[in-house]
Amino acid sequence: MTSLSHIILEPLVRKALEEDLGRAGDITSDSVISAEARAKVVMAARQEGIVAGLDAAELAFKLIDSGLAIKRLKAEGVEVKAGDEVMEVEGRARSILSAERVALNFVGRMSGIATLTNKMVKAVGNHKARVCSTRKTTPGLRAVEKYAVRVGGGMNHRLGLDDAILIKDNHIAIAGGVAIALRRAKESAGHMVKIEIEVDNLSQLKEVLEEGVDVVMLDNMSLEDMAAAVKMAAGRAIVEASGGVTLERISQIAATGVDMISTGALTHSAPNFDVGLDFKAAA
Amino acid sequence: MTSLSHIILEPLVRKALEEDLGRAGDITSDSVISAEARAKVVMAARQEGIVAGLDAAELAFKLIDSGLAIKRLKAEGVEVKAGDEVMEVEGRARSILSAERVALNFVGRMSGIATLTNKMVKAVGNHKARVCSTRKTTPGLRAVEKYAVRVGGGMNHRLGLDDAILIKDNHIAIAGGVAIALRRAKESAGHMVKIEIEVDNLSQLKEVLEEGVDVVMLDNMSLEDMAAAVKMAAGRAIVEASGGVTLERISQIAATGVDMISTGALTHSAPNFDVGLDFKAAA
Amino acid sequence: MTSLSHIILEPLVRKALEEDLGRAGDITSDSVISAEARAKVVMAARQEGIVAGLDAAELAFKLIDSGLAIKRLKAEGVEVKAGDEVMEVEGRARSILSAERVALNFVGRMSGIATLTNKMVKAVGNHKARVCSTRKTTPGLRAVEKYAVRVGGGMNHRLGLDDAILIKDNHIAIAGGVAIALRRAKESAGHMVKIEIEVDNLSQLKEVLEEGVDVVMLDNMSLEDMAAAVKMAAGRAIVEASGGVTLERISQIAATGVDMISTGALTHSAPNFDVGLDFKAAA
Amino acid sequence: MTSLSHIILEPLVRKALEEDLGRAGDITSDSVISAEARAKVVMAARQEGIVAGLDAAELAFKLIDSGLAIKRLKAEGVEVKAGDEVMEVEGRARSILSAERVALNFVGRMSGIATLTNKMVKAVGNHKARVCSTRKTTPGLRAVEKYAVRVGGGMNHRLGLDDAILIKDNHIAIAGGVAIALRRAKESAGHMVKIEIEVDNLSQLKEVLEEGVDVVMLDNMSLEDMAAAVKMAAGRAIVEASGGVTLERISQIAATGVDMISTGALTHSAPNFDVGLDFKAAA
Amino acid sequence: MTSLSHIILEPLVRKALEEDLGRAGDITSDSVISAEARAKVVMAARQEGIVAGLDAAELAFKLIDSGLAIKRLKAEGVEVKAGDEVMEVEGRARSILSAERVALNFVGRMSGIATLTNKMVKAVGNHKARVCSTRKTTPGLRAVEKYAVRVGGGMNHRLGLDDAILIKDNHIAIAGGVAIALRRAKESAGHMVKIEIEVDNLSQLKEVLEEGVDVVMLDNMSLEDMAAAVKMAAGRAIVEASGGVTLERISQIAATGVDMISTGALTHSAPNFDVGLDFKAAA
Amino acid sequence: MTSLSHIILEPLVRKALEEDLGRAGDITSDSVISAEARAKVVMAARQEGIVAGLDAAELAFKLIDSGLAIKRLKAEGVEVKAGDEVMEVEGRARSILSAERVALNFVGRMSGIATLTNKMVKAVGNHKARVCSTRKTTPGLRAVEKYAVRVGGGMNHRLGLDDAILIKDNHIAIAGGVAIALRRAKESAGHMVKIEIEVDNLSQLKEVLEEGVDVVMLDNMSLEDMAAAVKMAAGRAIVEASGGVTLERISQIAATGVDMISTGALTHSAPNFDVGLDFKAAA
């Protein structure tokens, strides 16, 4: 089971709270609600999907007021339907309201990514292909978004520029060809680093397979070419499909026999997951 | 014309580059491309919309390599169509490729927001209503996303919890009613702070207007009630519609005569704007 | 009642402790006092005034040593006289002495501002005018100083450049006149943003009132002109007096009928509040 | 001649700009002034005193817009009179106005400290005593304020808890006496560290001088006792007077023959130096 | 050729300068040397080895004073002998002396690592084994030290906990055996992630090879066992030797036929490279 | 007894954890070990020496998982032999393994420095000389390394450029001689600042002693000259030997009668102290 260390998460939640509190804090709650007022609220899903980001939400509440009592009503990563309650928060009313938006913004974004990923994974069905995200993430939130993809059942591709080699068309063009690019990469890469190369057509794939490589990325190929590529690779390299991946088309792509399907949409275009905070009682 | 100071922007671009370079930098370019290789590339739109984030993109390239030469081919905020070139970058090939993803991630997200905002603004057409975003922004990127909304022709609502008072249903419930909440807010608010209150129905609106307030937010009202509310307000308060705002429905909402239409979708669910980097020449 | 979130406060206290501990910590206490020695001390006012900054002081002690026991003897914002004890601290003697100066520096500065503000507020007496601070704050401490003003009974003006519009003489000069400046501001300002404009004389005020604006700032006007300005405004705009505000003169200014009196002195020239730590017992 | 590295200064100026620009920047200038408008302004003293902080002001302008042209009209640390122009800034009007307040806040505070320090130094006159500040500085600004004291002709006492040993009354009480405290300090102190001890009366001084120490601090002694202390010390230790130091009394203190006079007022209660920005021309 | 982005390097150099300048800067140079004095100095090796860290040194000088003129006399990564001059710096004498120690500290540490690595690489000679470092790096400097290893001709192992899987003895013990640990790792690992497992003896190796894995680490094995392990692996996994790696023994280890030799000593125990700054002329 | 505040230490441990966890955390433990698995481990020395850094290790474990139970088996600064257990950690197995490397890296480096320092101190034996470190520290870790020196029984020299004056050969050359340099330093130095000057030979020493100074540094002198220098100084200045300090030679240097012996090797070339984590039980 995947996880996201609060060493990584806490500075991001803190920054989000600072951004929202600004230079004078929650002037609405400070003026309208008495310091002693207490409340009990629940965070509830307003749509179906996979819930993610509960640690972030809890941190938002706890960083504002360590005296808030939090109860998890759903576990991270489970499937929920509209109306399901996922977390209960009880304590000083001002504190709850001051942290509310940041908590919901994290859960909304992270659950949105997990939910879209999960739909993709389900659409792949029994095919062996696994779904993975790319580096097309929101600036500053890569660790959080990569984690949300994993919660949704997806895999991570590279985390950044430094943990694996991915030779793309521009690299090949500037290096002067597939063969020379691959040779340089192999010479330089450490033994813990995988090498992937992007190919646009089957003849490029043939050249690549002859040189040898860990992973090939089929860039924007037709379904027919993908199927042919899988056959040509014949297990000599992991085959990754990329480009034009939609919920509608992903099952067809998976049916070609590719090992991996990668798409930036998981992180850059996942719609927000609708979630809100419902007032239960003046506690 | 709106702007976004690099005092605000630069730390975010720097953080995004650190996140992508990790602990060993761009190991693909370092291994595959010679240090001397030079290239000329253009950033090109792959869809139509409003382009935003060019300062961020330029900063990404310049922070990686101050020797890169950048030419703006489109101005920030203009309308582009698929294929339009927006920026030319020339210099060390390694530097360009190392900064590419961060530059595109900013432009993709910011143009996505500006483009969706602009569609909303156009859908409102000649009605007087103005479109504005909410605090439902990506954690850590509020300044950037609020700016992108402005680039798209939208307005900002509150920037955070501290620059205006917005009394929502939970505040009213805990405070013990509309009247007491409003009175407390007025007593406490500074003279440079506006006060808004959320109302769910017309009888609440009546009570609010009698107390007096700067702005009323009609929360998830029917089109008929919105029209009635505008009539009831009769200029005594700015009227803001919120909830259920879609591209399809916004023109009908505007037709009710409201002054403002606010929606979190501008920032939390805007799909990425498709933009890429095309290799032009080994410069 | 106002508050200052520790999300905002804690990084500032931490920075102050880092600044004081330097690269080797409290070498006096480390050398002179045994690690086991315990003490009980009280923080005591050495003058009369309004005490502010107790959260910061408590944080300073707790961040150095979470084992210190703190008892509040006075509440934040109350009036104290010389000799009054405000806080008791008990625990490891080294820890108390290491945090002492930072704790006192916060309380000294914040109480100084609250005390001066309170004197101004009292000098206004029964006049309706409210006292507010400006952006003339110590670099890096705006949130803290604006809070201290509120504790003293004052109000905040703008928190920064982005939460309200204030058109000053230089803006008018460069824009080409009052009318054009105001029109541009209204067109651009969001519906949650107030607009204020500075006027130097009554004829400017007349022009401004005709254009319409939320707040007018009377800049360095004579008492007579202020009274005339209040009459001319006749409730069409909030009237703020600025310039030449002293403890001696503020009651006369208030007597002119202005709504607000703003002065940078509250934050940039408030003398330190005298407060010290008294050794009670080797606990 | 003293200096303040921009390695130390730049993060503070940057933080002050971030604090002022908030989440949307200078919305007044952005709305009222066209992006192309240019201006020439001068920073001018509105009182007499010692000007300090010009590097900070220049940094504020340059960090907002590196295209601004800055001319120094007065050198850092010189004496100015009301009306003297100290710096000329020319370039984009928006940029100048956005940086103005931060630039002035630094110059106002730093010149205020330098000016008060200089008055103290002049009041000492031909006596040998030197004036120095304490650790009673604004949280986060110690380096800046200690520098301003030096610009004004004063000296620094300890920069923090770690660069020298200062044994105060509480240390002595907890350690169990002057002799044991001093012996422990000497044993532990590195050879580059000076040791000072606070004494309240002449018999304590006698004991201290017998033990031997680098510096003695006479705490709140009468002028007579100070003179007697100087005689008793007879050059065996540097003698520092502390407590009750005012502009009126400092010359009398100096006349007792002490070597150093230290006071927290230099940094914690120096009134702001009045300085403003005057519009010269649309450049 | 490897590189280290200044996006990664600059914050570390800046931090080191802040740490050295403290709260008052270089008080020696400020007092002893006039602001106008200029100098020309050269950085010279005082021993033979591989020079690394010149970018860091240049940054240290430039961050202190962008007016300093720097000339590289040796390229990064070349072999030098005692007395060789590697960099010339000319400009304000105070600036040069203020940055000197930080510049030398980086070059001393980084060249020390590069030099030790290079000795190891040379000791391996014509054997195929490559030398790599571990995660035993100085806290906060991993990117810098991993880079210095590459400059010396070594390879990187994992950069952190997140870029590859390395199953060690404790993981196996807690998981309940080699087979279950490996199966879980394969199921969870993304397609761009390599898996390595530590084995203590040949029977463990046999089990591991049957399960299949990318890399096996032979932990503290005898030379005989290593040779047997290489034979047993027979190309089915990359073979890495670890433990007891010294300059004396590394050639024997390499002779066993292993692919990789990893050692923490490269980063945690490399002696400093002796380098100094020689005064050439008052420029 | 010396100490290192967690105000200083915690940000460094946090940074080291962030560096190791990267963007996806400990993917080995997350995949191989169940979230519920618990373990008990002990940190054990694998060599003899002085153990230091236990606070850092404890912080590393606690920051990853505040639920880990830590027991100290050895006190900071005591002498241990190979096999001695110093700390027991019990709790979630994943947490322990994720924090292990950072904890060990701190203890390895800090104990390495403390151990080397202690050997030097012991080699000095009954001579009065004290051993101290220099500013040749690892960038960013000065406070930590200076502390480790103190734990080992050594003293600190300057902490940075700002806490004492040390006039070196280059300063003298640029200033124009020993006498002028010393006079300027004395005039400028505060009364809490010590002044040291480097001398290369006995005639320079003579000149320096005539001017008067707190400390003289004998730079790379022969043993004979050191002895002569001590005689010449005759208590008028503290005498510090520097250059060519090795474990072999330090006793001879001490025998010359110098007061202090300083060497960069304590911090820049101390070999890592060998320490590991042993699995005790599935707790």
Side-chain angles (χ1 to χ4, degrees), chain F residues 38-57:
Chain F
R38 297 177 65 81
K40 183 195 286 189
V41 302
V42 291
M43 187 185 295
R46 310 224 188 287
Q47 69 166 79
E48 67 174 3
I50 303 293
V51 68
L54 298 181
D55 279 352

Side-chain angles (χ1 to χ4, degrees), chain B residues 13-261:
Chain B
V13 177
R14 212 176 266 280
K15 177 65 70 181
L17 289 169
E18 288 176 8
E19 175 184 76
D20 203 22
L21 291 170
R23 292 152 301 204
D26 182 359
I27 60 174
T28 304
S29 299
D30 277 1
S31 64
V32 169
I33 294 175
S34 79
E36 294 74 30
R38 298 177 65 80
K40 183 195 285 189
V41 302
V42 292
M43 186 184 296
R46 309 223 188 289
Q47 68 166 81
E48 67 175 1
I50 303 293
V51 69
L54 299 182
D55 280 352
E58 181 162 341
L59 258 176
F61 287 113
K62 287 289 197 183
L63 286 173
I64 286 292
D65 182 349
S66 62
L68 294 180
I70 314 255
K71 210 184 292 176
R72 299 278 180 105
L73 307 177
K74 294 286 177 188
E76 180 84 351
V78 303
E79 206 158 347
V80 295
K81 51 185 197 307
D84 279 0
E85 302 185 339
V86 300
M87 186 184 274
E88 182 188 285
V89 187
E90 184 172 351
R92 296 210 322 149
R94 278 187 182 179
S95 303
I96 293 171
L97 293 171
S98 296
E100 170 183 2
R101 178 46 42 216
V102 168
L104 294 177
N105 283 353
F106 272 101
V107 175
R109 176 145 201 87
M110 294 170 77
S111 302
I113 290 172
T115 297
L116 177 57
T117 303
N118 197 248
K119 281 184 190 163
M120 294 274 195
V121 169
K122 281 180 177 151
V124 165
N126 289 326
H127 297 293
K128 75 169 170 198
R130 309 211 56 172
V131 178
C132 70
S133 63
T134 68
R135 283 166 46 244
K136 296 180 179 176
T137 54
T138 310
L141 291 183
R142 184 164 295 165
V144 163
E145 296 187 347
K146 289 279 187 182
Y147 162 81
V149 166
R150 298 194 301 269
V151 170
M155 312 291 284
N156 291 158
H157 202 282
R158 286 195 293 175
L159 300 167
L161 287 164
D162 66 329
D163 59 329
I165 287 181
L166 171 47
I167 306 171
K168 309 190 78 169
D169 49 359
N170 286 342
H171 294 104
I172 297 169
I174 297 167
V178 160
I180 191 167
L182 264 178
R183 274 173 224 158
R184 285 183 186 164
K186 285 186 208 173
E187 186 158 330
S188 164
H191 68 304
M192 299 303 284
V193 167
K194 288 216 179 177
I195 300 177
E196 177 171 12
I197 192 163
E198 182 183 304
V199 298
D200 294 330
N201 52 55
L202 295 173
S203 70
Q204 258 192 336
L205 176 61
K206 189 155 175 290
E207 186 182 0
V208 158
L209 291 170
E210 277 159 13
E211 285 293 333
V213 73
D214 294 309
V215 187
V216 290
M217 177 192 283
L218 312 181
D219 187 41
N220 274 311
M221 280 194 185
S222 67
L223 293 170
E224 295 70 37
D225 279 0
M226 286 191 217
V230 169
K231 208 165 292 177
M232 186 186 289
R236 283 177 293 167
I238 296 169
V239 179
E240 174 184 334
S242 178
V245 179
T246 61
L247 262 176
E248 292 67 34
R249 195 165 169 263
I250 196 167
S251 141
Q252 295 170 285
I253 297 174
T256 65
V258 297
D259 301 291
M260 302 297 306
I261 304 174

Side-chain angles (χ1 to χ4, degrees), chain A residues 42-64:
Chain A
V42 292
M43 187 184 295
R46 309 223 188 289
Q47 68 165 80
E48 67 174 3
I50 303 294
V51 69
L54 299 181
D55 279 353
E58 181 162 341
L59 259 176
F61 288 114
K62 287 288 197 183
L63 287 173
I64 285 292

Side-chain angles (χ1 to χ4, degrees), chain C residues 161, chain D residues 17 60-61 64 94-104:
Chain C
L161 287 164
Chain D
L17 289 169
F61 288 113
I64 285 292
R94 278 188 184 180
S95 304
I96 294 172
L97 293 172
S98 296
E100 171 183 2
R101 178 48 40 216
V102 168
L104 294 178

Side-chain angles (χ1 to χ4, degrees), chain D residues 111-133:
Chain D
S111 303
I113 290 172
T115 298
L116 177 58
T117 303
N118 197 248
K119 281 183 188 164
M120 294 274 195
V121 168
K122 281 181 178 152
V124 165
N126 288 326
H127 298 292
K128 74 170 170 198
R130 309 209 55 170
V131 178
C132 70
S133 63

Side-chain angles (χ1 to χ4, degrees), chain D residues 173-189:
Chain D
I174 297 168
V178 159
I180 192 166
L182 263 179
R183 274 173 224 158
R184 285 184 186 163
K186 285 185 206 172
E187 185 157 332
S188 165

